[in-house]
Every structure is written in structure tokens, then in C-alpha cells.
Amino acid sequence: MSDPITDQRLLYIHDQLSDEDIQREVDLYGPLTDSVRQLIAATLQTEVGEPDVRRAKALVEEAAAILQERAIPGPYGVRWGASGWKRGWGNAADGVRNAVAPPLTIQTDPDGRTWTDFHLGPQYEGPAGLTHGGVSALILDQVLGDCAVAAGSPGMTGTLTLRYRKPTPLGDLHAEARFDRMDGVKAIVKGHIADAAGICVEAEGIFILPRWAREAAAASTAG
Amino acid sequence: MSDPITDQRLLYIHDQLSDEDIQREVDLYGPLTDSVRQLIAATLQTEVGEPDVRRAKALVEEAAAILQERAIPGPYGVRWGASGWKRGWGNAADGVRNAVAPPLTIQTDPDGRTWTDFHLGPQYEGPAGLTHGGVSALILDQVLGDCAVAAGSPGMTGTLTLRYRKPTPLGDLHAEARFDRMDGVKAIVKGHIADAAGICVEAEGIFILPRWAREAAAASTAG
């Protein structure tokens, strides 16, 4: 078994990259990740015959081999540059370098409302033609968690409750969250996903920073 | 706005494929999708320089262009072959043709316990080095939903409640669900995700087949 405290310390990385170097990485890796997103959709939608599938597969493997020539061995972790620019680029919901992520660009207004407009392609399907309920959960977990951070109460998800009010289509969607209240050390945040016609999924999340995470963050800052 | 009833009818497809033809598709598209999964990880983990990234990106785009030469225009939907073999191959949690899916191979025991052993790579990260809480939700939504189907009460997710008991590592994990009880038309299912040391996330789901879905399924069967 891995030890989460040790792992967490190793993966909180202060690499002192300059903003210019980080922007260069965004400009380099961001478009690659977008191309992989399109490949994911094409892999799901293709009806070409066997020779073409085998040709495409060989190209995909050639690309992966090039990228694997020099690569980190595990998850990306969370990294901070010299100016404090935080990179959670491996994040499954909003990671710039994670082709599984839609990705989300999450913003927070001065009044604390945290929101994102995003597009879900065919790779986020659950019921036929609709967004997977678990994908809605993934997005709401991220948006509610970011809202807790913006409210000054960062934490890991303690409880997440989702109410599916009507089917969530694929395509253009909106998600938002508002900080509701503190209950001791727990931050309670509420939000929803909506399409153009109204709310599809409502969510309430309780976010808590567990002691081991506070200790790991403190050790990382000290190091 | 799209009309979910119309969309649902279009995407419940009875294509009468033989089991042999379906198996041929599994053997053809499954390995392609696995290669794309490895590419997703490599895209996230790579540290190669700009020329190599651009070379890999060109190969990815060439592969996508080959696959897009003949492709369905939208989501995969749910398809049934002549023998009743159901294919939800676009599903974000367990789709054979969806590289976003880990994928899950979900099984049901004779006593109704629905379960899966699976592996999560670096593309499922949330907190540094750990599984994203929303990815756990995606997996539990699918396993609990499949358990409702196995219990004879298929439905869409009405409510999903997740309790995060301890951090969920990446790597080898187990998820399972058991049918709890009916409450009118609602099927209530409980389950969890565990690592080798015990339960990480508990879930309770309420699954309901909404009228529009019953009508769409009936129209599809009639057609």
C-alpha cells in the first residue's frame, strides 16, 4: 500500500518555473492535448474498415512512443511556479494536459460565484445521447471544490449529493456554484449544471481539509 | 434545444448485427481504444522537447483524420444486435470504444452483487497523487446503476450521495454495489470503492426510469 502522506508530499512540487516558462508549456502541451481529445472522439465515432483502423493505431502508438521517451513515471501532482502560478495539469476535470478533461475553464466572480461554460462531446455519454450522470458529478465536484477554495476554505470532498432534475444533454452546458455556509471546519457549497432550458443537476458538497493534507501542505511549504 | 425524446429514439439502435460481427468489432476497436488510453497517459506525463511534441501531435492528427474519413456524426447511443447483445460502447465509464473510460468490466454475481476490479492511471487524478472525487462518483454511478439493472429495476440516476471516508489512491481499486430496496418506483442501491486497505468512498443511489425514457424505449422496440 502506498502511504498517502508520503505521496502527497512528493507530489506537491515547488519547481520555481517562471511565468514565461509555464506559458511556453501551456502553448506547447495544450494543443497536443486538444488533438488527443479529437482523437478520442474519432476513435469512438469511426466506421472506417480494418486496414485504416490498423494504420491509425500504428500512428497512435508511434506518437505515444515518442512522448514516452522522456516522461514522469506517475501522476502529475500539483506544481507551483516562482510567482505562485498553480498547475493541477493532470486533473481529470480541468487539467490542461489531461485529454480526459473536457476541459473546464473555471472562473470566480468578485461576489464568489464560481462558474464555467463548457462543451461535452460524444465521449461523455451515459444514457443514449445524454451526458453520463457520473460526468455531471465529476464536473460539479470540481466546480464546487473550486468555489470552496475561492471562499477561503479549500478542502477535499467529504460528501457530495447530486439530484438529477432532468436529462443533461451533451453539447454546450453551464455549471456554477456558490458558497453556502461553514459548519465548524466544513465548507458547504451548492451548485448546478444547466442547459439553455434550465437546471439539469443540482449538487451540494461538503469540503474538509483533512489533517494529513494540512500536514503535507505545511511540510511541502517548509521544503 | 434538442428534444431528449427524439434524440433518445434515434440513439436506441437495433442494428441486428450477429454476435460474430460484434465480436469482430470488439477485436478491432478495443485495441485501438487501449492504444489511445496509453497515449492519453503519455500526453500527460511526457517531458520531451518541442520538436518531439510537434512530431507526436502531427501523428495524432494524422490518425484522427484517417478515423474521421467515415464516422458517425454524434454520440454512439446504445445498440442491440440480433441476439440482444447490448452495446453502450460510447459510455464514459465502461465504453469499449471510449478512451475516457478506465474502462470498467462490471460483473454481477448470482446473489445480485455487482462489482468490478479496475485500474486508474494518472489521467484520473484530482488531489495530488489521488483519484479525483468526481471520478469515484463516475465509477459508482455506473456500478450502482448496473446493479439496479441486474435487480430488474433499470433507471436513470435520480439522486446520488457520495461519502468520502478516506483518500482514494490511484492504481488498483475495487467497486461494488448491492440492491437495497424499492421505494415505489425508485430502486435504492448502495455501494463503495475500496483499495487493499478498505473502503474509500461510500455511495447511495436512487434510480428511476422516467416516463419519457419508458416511452422512448417502447417506441424503439416497436420500430
Side-chain angles (χ1 to χ4, degrees), chain A residues 8 35 46-47 61 67 70, chain B residues 35 46-47 61 67 70 128:
Chain A
Q8 290 280 325
S35 293
T46 193
E47 295 193 308
E61 287 166 4
L67 297 173
R70 200 171 74 237
Chain B
S35 293
T46 193
E47 295 193 307
E61 287 166 5
L67 298 173
R70 200 172 74 237

Side-chain angles (χ1 to χ4, degrees), chain A residues 43-61:
Chain A
T43 297
L44 177 55
Q45 295 176 310
T46 193
E47 295 193 308
V48 298
E50 184 166 337
D52 284 334
V53 170
R54 295 201 188 285
R55 204 150 57 92
K57 180 167 175 284
L59 291 167
V60 168
E61 287 166 4

Side-chain angles (χ1 to χ4, degrees), chain A residues 18 20 27 36-37 48 59 64 76-77 80-81 83 86 89 94 104 109 120 123 134 143 146 153 184 186 201 210 212:
Chain A
S18 69
E20 292 70 28
D27 295 342
V36 175
R37 289 187 183 107
V48 298
L59 291 167
Y76 188 86
W80 287 267
S83 75
K86 182 183 172 182
W89 287 354
D94 68 357
L104 308 178
D109 293 343
L120 296 185
Q123 64 267 46
V143 174
D146 279 17
S153 301
K186 301 174 185 174
V201 189
W212 66 263

Side-chain angles (χ1 to χ4, degrees), chain A residues 60-147:
Chain A
V60 168
E61 287 166 4
E62 192 182 341
I66 290 170
L67 297 173
Q68 283 159 349
E69 269 166 33
R70 200 171 74 237
I72 59 170
Y76 188 86
V78 178
R79 307 181 190 195
W80 287 267
S83 75
W85 186 340
K86 182 183 172 182
R87 285 161 287 151
W89 287 354
N91 187 289
D94 68 357
V96 166
R97 292 189 53 178
N98 191 337
V100 164
L104 308 178
T105 303
I106 301 174
Q107 300 179 271
T108 299
D109 293 343
D111 70 352
R113 187 183 68 122
T114 298
W115 61 276
T116 178
D117 291 323
F118 57 101
H119 181 89
L120 296 185
Q123 64 267 46
Y124 301 104
E125 187 178 39
L130 300 171
T131 293
H132 197 296
V135 169
S136 295
L138 168 64
I139 289 162
L140 284 163
D141 182 45
Q142 187 67 40
V143 174
L144 268 61
D146 279 17
C147 184

Side-chain angles (χ1 to χ4, degrees), chain B residues 8-211:
Chain B
Q8 289 279 326
R9 285 179 184 174
L10 288 173
L11 292 165
Y12 284 129
I13 302 162
H14 291 263
D15 57 16
Q16 304 300 326
L17 278 194
S18 69
D19 284 2
E20 292 70 28
D21 284 343
I22 294 175
Q23 188 59 51
R24 240 191 306 275
E25 288 200 1
V26 172
D27 294 342
L28 180 62
Y29 295 118
L32 170 67
T33 311
D34 281 337
S35 293
V36 175
R37 289 187 183 107
Q38 289 179 32
L39 176 68
I40 292 169
T43 297
L44 177 55
Q45 295 176 310
T46 193
E47 295 193 307
V48 298
E50 184 166 336
D52 284 334
V53 170
R54 294 201 189 286
R55 205 150 56 91
K57 180 168 174 284
L59 291 167
V60 168
E61 287 166 5
E62 192 182 339
I66 291 170
L67 298 173
Q68 283 159 347
E69 269 166 32
R70 200 172 74 237
I72 59 170
Y76 187 86
V78 177
R79 307 182 191 194
W80 287 266
S83 75
W85 186 339
K86 181 181 173 183
R87 286 161 286 152
W89 286 355
N91 188 290
D94 68 357
V96 166
R97 292 188 53 176
N98 191 336
V100 163
L104 308 178
T105 303
I106 301 174
Q107 301 179 269
T108 299
D109 293 342
D111 70 352
R113 187 182 68 122
T114 299
W115 61 275
T116 178
D117 291 322
F118 58 100
H119 181 89
L120 295 185
Q123 64 266 44
Y124 301 104
E125 188 178 38
L130 300 172
T131 293
H132 197 297
V135 170
S136 296
L138 168 63
I139 289 162
L140 285 163
D141 181 46
Q142 187 68 40
V143 174
L144 269 63
D146 278 18
C147 184
V149 172
S153 301
M156 289 177 64
T157 316
T159 307
L160 183 67
T161 305
L162 303 141
R163 287 178 202 85
Y164 297 83
R165 314 297 291 198
K166 63 167 187 163
T168 306
L170 293 165
D172 292 324
L173 295 165
H174 169 87
E176 64 174 71
R178 282 183 188 277
F179 175 78
D180 190 67
R181 65 189 189 278
M182 291 301 293
D183 177 11
V185 295
K186 301 174 184 172
I188 296 163
V189 181
K190 296 185 178 183
H192 65 255
I193 289 178
D195 65 8
I199 292 177
C200 304
V201 189
E202 289 175 342
E204 178 170 326
I206 298 176
F207 296 88
I208 312 162
L209 199 60
R211 193 177 47 195

Side-chain angles (χ1 to χ4, degrees), chain A residues 23-41:
Chain A
Q23 188 59 54
R24 240 191 306 274
E25 288 201 2
V26 171
D27 295 342
L28 181 62
Y29 295 118
L32 170 66
T33 311
D34 281 337
S35 293
V36 175
R37 289 187 183 107
Q38 289 178 34
L39 176 68
I40 292 169

